[in-house]
Amino acid sequence: MKYYLIAGEASGDLHASRLMRSLKARDAEAEFRYFGGDLMAAEGGTLVKHYRELAYMGFIPVLLHLPTILHNMKVCKRDIMAWQPDVVILVDYPGFNLKIAKYLHRQNIKVYYYISPKIWAWKEYRIKNIKRDVDELFSILPFEVEFFEKKHHYPIHYVGNPTAQEVREYKDPSNLPCLGEAHDTPPKQGETEGVIALLAGSRKQEIKDNLPAMIEATRHLADRYDIILAGAPSIPPEYYEPFLKGSSVRLVVNETYRLLSEATAALVTSGTATLETCMFRVPQVVCYYTPLKRFIGMMRRLVLNVKYVSLVNLIADREVVTELVADTFSVDNIRRELEKILPGGPDRQRMLKDYEEVHRRLGESDAPDRASEIMIQLLTN
């Protein structure tokens, strides 16, 4: 069968590549064409557009790049119609993908959504579009079942969480070379008490907003800890240089899992990275800068449909990790909360214990295998 996939960022590239691998194992005649990234390309098929050309966030960046976004959307629609796939599989990235779904519905092309849009957080009105335009929805978060099926009477497939599985497989002892051996970056001289990981996001705007405060908040720990920044796969290393100048922070690229496997604690921008950090059992502080802090803080409480922004807290349905967002985001707050989760800090052991509840709720299921099995059954019956 012919599968067309659309992933618009690094995490989507990872999850989609694993799904492609599972589809190939079950469908010997599988053909792939996609908007995606390097991990998907490694699985074969044809890469039409790299997600580096798609990943814009925030009102102003989107507005500035609107012609490019519209052009990419036009290219995507035209390419799908020319190739005539058996199904189009959308992977997260709702701003782009839901518009594609609307178009494909009118063209009578099957649409499966793997990693459902997070409309439970905001823009819940999108449920109307999903019901109309998406043939099958595949969820990776356990609490989404109640939201979609009980609240909105829209049946979905809960397949387990791919991040939990990816981390579980990576943590196999054979996959854990020393961080210092894995990079050209030399190891820090002298003994340190451990590693503090900085995960500042996968888009330039996120990095610009969050990284300076993260660096400043860890500056006083540079003589005790090795401060290491995880470079995002879509960001060229030279982009980080102005931020790192004058600091002791080291950069490692495309090695987030390896970094987390050795980290003592982490500062993390909200997103999939918060769940990855939890899966590695690394205590963390979630940091997310927004402009107009007080106004956004107030609007967050009024507009968001959920109490938390991190997946860790959402899955646990309580505050496991501290979230410093909008009006609570500051260097002083980041520094203070980080101190609490370092060895000997008052919150460290409590957070590690609470992580176990998140692990339990996610379970041991193999998400891409389960999703591919259901997809092929639906397409062949």
Side-chain angles (χ1 to χ4, degrees):
M1 279 183 286
K2 296 166 70 174
Y3 305 89
Y4 201 109
L5 297 93
I6 305 174
E9 51 197 349
S11 61
D13 179 35
L14 172 61
H15 298 325
S17 70
R18 299 296 294 271
L19 179 63
M20 290 168 63
R21 190 179 307 169
S22 293
L23 287 168
K24 286 192 296 183
R26 287 169 168 77
D27 179 2
E29 298 182 355
E31 298 179 57
F32 299 104
R33 197 170 176 89
Y34 43 86
F35 277 41
D38 298 336
L39 296 176
M40 295 171 72
E43 295 298 328
T46 301
L47 174 64
V48 181
K49 284 274 186 181
H50 200 288
Y51 66 76
R52 282 191 296 263
E53 301 179 57
L54 307 175
Y56 303 111
M57 65 168 293
F59 177 77
I60 299 300
V62 168
L63 190 62
L64 291 174
H65 294 92
L66 188 58
T68 301
I69 295 170
L70 294 176
H71 172 72
N72 288 337
M73 199 167 293
K74 184 177 181 180
V75 169
C76 185
K77 292 175 182 177
R78 186 191 309 130
D79 196 60
I80 291 171
M81 295 309 298
W83 200 54
Q84 286 294 303
D86 293 287
V87 64
V88 175
I89 302 173
L90 309 175
V91 184
D92 203 356
Y93 200 55
F96 187 94
N97 276 336
L98 285 176
K99 291 181 175 63
I100 295 295
K102 181 179 180 180
Y103 172 80
L104 296 178
H105 173 72
R106 294 172 178 170
Q107 307 302 320
N108 294 315
I109 292 180
K110 286 187 181 296
V111 174
Y112 291 176
Y113 217 123
Y114 180 60
I115 306 183
S116 54
K118 299 173 180 61
I119 63 169
W120 36 262
W122 73 313
K123 296 187 177 181
E124 190 170 346
Y125 63 83
R126 283 176 163 173
I127 187 63
K128 296 180 181 178
N129 303 70
I130 291 173
K131 284 183 174 181
R132 182 192 65 214
D133 302 328
V134 176
D135 295 288
E136 303 289 342
L137 186 65
F138 296 80
S139 164
I140 64 168
L141 297 170
F143 60 83
E144 289 183 331
V145 176
E146 182 173 356
F147 174 82
F148 284 105
E149 296 192 345
K150 293 186 178 179
K151 184 174 182 180
H152 290 291
H153 310 290
Y154 179 66
I156 66 173
H157 307 279
Y158 175 65
V159 295
N161 192 277
T163 297
Q165 178 198 350
E166 289 151 8
V167 172
R168 189 166 61 246
E169 292 177 359
Y170 180 86
K171 289 175 71 175
D172 182 290
S174 64
N175 291 328
L176 293 175
C178 173
L179 183 66
E181 296 173 354
H183 303 278
D184 294 332
T185 305
K188 188 170 183 175
Q189 299 299 314
E191 295 296 324
T192 66
E193 297 177 33
V195 172
I196 295 177
L198 308 183
L199 282 66
S202 60
R203 301 182 180 99
K204 288 183 177 180
Q205 188 63 45
E206 288 178 323
I207 296 163
K208 178 176 176 290
D209 289 342
N210 293 286
L211 183 55
M214 289 179 170
I215 292 174
E216 188 60 33
T218 56
R219 195 177 297 275
H220 70 296
L221 297 169
D223 58 339
R224 294 169 49 198
Y225 289 91
D226 198 0
I227 317 296
I228 303 180
L229 169 65
S234 60
I235 306 297
E238 54 268 22
Y239 180 78
Y240 294 99
E241 291 176 2
F243 301 104
L244 301 183
K245 187 176 181 180
S247 78
S248 60
V249 177
R250 294 194 293 136
L251 172 69
V252 296
V253 180
N254 295 335
E255 296 290 349
T256 300
Y257 279 14
R258 190 165 292 162
L259 172 57
L260 287 174
S261 72
E262 297 193 6
T264 306
L267 300 179
V268 187
T269 295
S270 182
T272 304
T274 63
L275 187 56
E276 292 171 331
T277 304
C278 171
M279 292 295 102
F280 277 97
R281 292 175 169 81
V282 178
Q284 64 183 293
V285 180
V286 175
C287 316
Y288 201 88
Y289 170 86
T290 60
L292 303 175
K293 293 183 180 181
R294 292 184 180 178
F295 174 73
I296 297 298
M298 179 185 69
M299 291 303 295
R300 173 192 170 197
R301 290 184 284 271
L302 292 174
V303 174
L304 287 184
N305 299 326
V306 291
K307 293 182 289 184
Y308 309 110
V309 299
S310 69
L311 289 175
V312 176
N313 290 345
L314 287 165
I315 292 168
D317 195 27
R318 60 191 175 90
E319 187 177 277
V320 172
V321 299
T322 299
E323 299 179 352
L324 302 178
V325 182
D327 51 338
T328 61
F329 180 99
S330 71
V331 171
D332 287 342
N333 284 348
I334 296 171
R335 184 184 297 117
R336 180 170 56 252
E337 294 300 326
L338 175 60
E339 293 280 0
K340 292 179 182 179
I341 59 171
L342 291 175
D347 290 350
R348 182 177 179 83
Q349 292 306 315
R350 186 272 307 162
M351 188 177 295
L352 290 172
K353 181 180 178 181
D354 289 348
Y355 275 174
E356 298 310 311
E357 174 66 14
V358 179
H359 282 250
R360 186 190 68 78
R361 294 195 178 197
L362 290 179
E364 299 290 330
S365 61
D366 189 330
D369 283 352
R370 179 61 181 146
S372 65
E373 180 183 13
I374 296 172
M375 289 177 182
I376 291 175
Q377 284 177 353
L378 290 168
L379 291 167
T380 54
N381 289 342

